[in-house]
Amino acid sequence: MGGGGRRPDVRHEWALVRTLPLLLVVAGIVYDMSTPPRFTAAPLFTAAPLIAAPFYSLLGTTLIGAASCTAVLALHFKTSTTTDVDAITELITVGTVAVLACVINRVVRRSDKQLASARSIAEAAQRAVLPQPAPRIGGLDIAARYEAAEADAFIGGDLYAVQDTPHGVRVIVGDVRGKGMGAVAAVAVVIGAFREAAEQESTLEAVAQRLERALEREGTRRDGLDAFEGFTTAVLAEISHGDGLVRLINRGHPGPLLLRGDGRLCLLSAAEPAMPLGMGDLGAWPDRADETEFPPGAMLLLYTDGLSEARDVRGEFYDPAARLGGRIFPGPGGPDALLRTLVEEVRRHTGGRGTDDMALLVVRRPMSPAVTEGHPSA
């Protein structure tokens, strides 16, 4: 998941909120001492513990409440009005609000714990459904990144998977229609079917057909609109172990980009456009893989439309082909550097107001292919 610390302006706002309760107590004291007796600073003293409640610990909230009550008592003691009805009423009011602030603090802290637990469960679910690929699979360098459009969201309808097989390294990047748990369930179906088919099927075309059948079965089990309109756009790729080629099948998905080591860039559009997976009931057509040279040092970038359809304030799309042309990302960290660049540029392009999840995956053929053992997968 993409991260990053709080922006400087957010940190400043947070610091102001944290100091505000104490400032209110001090302001109440100054106001009360500089105005005639008929004026009261009770609103400031009652506001202080209420503001502290959601941001401070229970001890901190209690101390702010005690400080407010002590200030009220001390100010009336200074003017010898501690036994007046107004003074007693003011002290009872501030004390009652301080107690309520402590109760609010406990409720907020309990909710925070529940939210943290839910986040941990969501993160664990993402790791189970969408595990991070290993950095090296089948002699290829791999980097992947999932950027959720909503803050603190972990899982959605975008997907990727990489698997080394006897037929080559096979890759899928896709986007399930819809949101919520229905989309997550479909992601699990697609990835599960892909891993099984990638090992068993001798051709990439057969893998695509297996995924089609798996989604059709899933569609019959889903109620409502999704039972008729559920689909997944996807790109399937197969990088052979020896002939320096990449084979691609595109099912209604944004075309991958091939970035050569010298900065040249090529958009790998499908020769024959095809419908997304899961829409076989609208017609039958044969899948045909397109072959493209994948030379040493080149990187293959596969992505979902959260990248290519990211808009700025004027409604203009982010164009990864135009942005990446002529740029190179050398060195062992090249794939990760490419993903970091894309995420940062999209964040600047949208002003941090992304509306769709974004899955990115980079496969690089090293300049000196390494000999690998076994068939690791991720």
Side-chain angles (χ1 to χ4, degrees):
M1 295 300 180
R6 284 193 180 93
R7 298 187 304 271
D9 57 336
V10 175
R11 288 198 298 269
H12 295 156
E13 293 171 3
W14 182 257
L16 176 61
V17 170
R18 293 281 296 178
T19 58
L20 186 57
L22 184 59
L23 292 176
L24 287 174
V25 174
V26 173
I29 294 173
V30 173
Y31 177 84
D32 199 286
M33 295 180 65
S34 59
T35 57
R38 66 178 182 276
F39 293 95
T40 176
L44 297 176
F45 292 129
T46 55
L50 286 177
I51 293 176
F55 302 106
Y56 282 38
S57 65
L58 178 60
L59 177 60
T61 303
T62 303
L63 291 176
I64 291 294
S68 294
C69 293
T70 301
V72 171
L73 189 60
L75 288 168
H76 284 289
F77 182 81
K78 180 177 180 296
T79 57
S80 301
T81 58
T82 53
T83 58
D84 290 354
V85 173
D86 290 343
I88 295 173
T89 301
E90 183 178 340
L91 182 61
I92 292 174
T93 300
V94 174
T96 301
V97 172
V99 172
L100 289 175
C102 292
V103 174
I104 293 171
N105 177 271
R106 299 315 299 154
V107 173
V108 170
R109 290 292 166 263
R110 189 175 296 112
S111 298
D112 286 345
K113 290 180 181 178
Q114 292 173 345
L115 180 58
S117 177
R119 287 173 178 169
S120 297
I121 293 171
E123 189 171 6
Q126 185 196 34
R127 291 195 182 113
V129 174
L130 197 67
Q132 187 73 6
R136 194 169 181 84
I137 298 176
L140 303 172
D141 297 326
I142 308 294
R145 191 154 176 174
Y146 192 107
E147 289 286 319
E150 298 181 9
D152 298 323
F154 288 99
I155 50 180
D158 290 10
L159 62 96
Y160 50 70
V162 185
Q163 188 150 328
D164 190 11
T165 76
H167 317 289
V169 176
R170 286 176 169 171
V171 178
I172 184 172
V173 170
D175 187 356
V176 173
R177 173 194 174 273
K179 299 290 183 182
M181 293 310 298
V184 175
V187 167
V189 169
V190 172
I191 291 181
F194 168 77
R195 293 197 182 283
E196 181 179 5
E199 286 286 343
Q200 296 177 355
E201 300 294 346
S202 59
T203 66
L204 197 61
E205 290 85 351
V207 174
Q209 289 302 313
R210 282 276 289 272
L211 297 180
E212 181 74 42
R213 292 192 295 271
L215 279 174
E216 287 177 357
R217 289 193 301 270
E218 174 70 7
T220 61
R221 292 193 291 265
R222 298 170 74 174
D223 297 326
L225 184 66
D226 281 345
F228 301 96
E229 296 187 9
F231 61 85
T232 299
T233 67
V235 169
L236 297 168
E238 178 184 277
I239 299 108
S240 62
H241 291 300
D243 60 9
L245 296 175
V246 57
R247 299 174 180 85
L248 296 168
I249 289 179
N250 192 325
R251 286 297 204 93
H253 199 77
L257 298 177
L258 182 66
L259 290 77
R260 297 178 182 270
D262 59 4
R264 287 181 295 162
L265 182 145
C266 179
L267 173 61
L268 304 181
S269 301
E272 296 183 17
M275 298 290 285
L277 297 166
M279 300 186 71
D281 56 340
L282 298 182
W285 55 88
D287 283 300
R288 294 189 178 88
D290 299 319
E291 287 191 355
T292 303
E293 182 185 4
F294 191 24
M299 290 193 288
L300 181 68
L301 171 64
L302 302 99
Y303 55 91
T304 57
D305 59 10
L307 175 68
S308 56
E309 295 184 3
R311 298 172 183 257
D312 63 11
V313 293
R314 298 183 300 275
E316 296 179 2
F317 291 118
Y318 178 86
D319 185 351
R323 297 295 186 98
L324 295 176
R327 300 166 72 175
I328 61 174
F329 300 87
D336 286 310
L338 171 57
L339 295 189
R340 283 196 304 272
T341 297
L342 288 171
V343 171
E344 291 168 2
E345 288 189 358
V346 167
R347 190 174 292 137
R348 288 197 298 268
H349 183 78
T350 62
R353 296 181 297 273
T355 59
D356 197 4
D357 293 354
M358 180 170 63
L360 307 170
L361 190 140
V362 174
V363 180
R364 180 175 65 180
R365 186 184 290 277
M367 294 299 296
S368 300
V371 178
T372 59
E373 297 180 0
H375 297 293
S377 63

